[in-house]
Amino acid sequence: MSPLTARSSVTIFTEKPACGSCLSVADQFVQKYPSILVVIKDNKGVRLNPNRKED
């Protein structure tokens, strides 16, 4: 399958807003694979604790 015909999506989740460098890499990926949707979401600086027990 060629990069131009691949179809999919990827979601990148970060605790903090993505920096300019990370956004640039994502843009480069989109340029190389235009049929793949890239979504970047952040948690607005709220750190996640995987060991936290839910109440």
Side-chain angles (χ1 to χ4, degrees):
M1 180 175 295
S2 99
L4 298 176
T5 60
R7 297 200 182 280
S8 190
S9 67
V10 62
T11 300
I12 301 168
F13 180 79
T14 68
E15 291 177 338
K16 299 178 182 179
C19 68
S21 177
C22 292
L23 294 173
S24 177
V25 169
D27 286 340
Q28 290 173 37
F29 182 90
V30 169
Q31 292 298 314
K32 187 169 183 177
Y33 303 98
S35 298
I36 298 179
L37 173 66
V38 176
V39 178
I40 301 175
K41 296 184 176 189
D42 70 75
N43 207 32
K44 300 185 182 7
V46 177
R47 299 201 68 143
L48 301 177
N49 181 351
N51 297 320
R52 186 181 138 223
K53 305 246 188 295
E54 293 202 29
D55 298 328

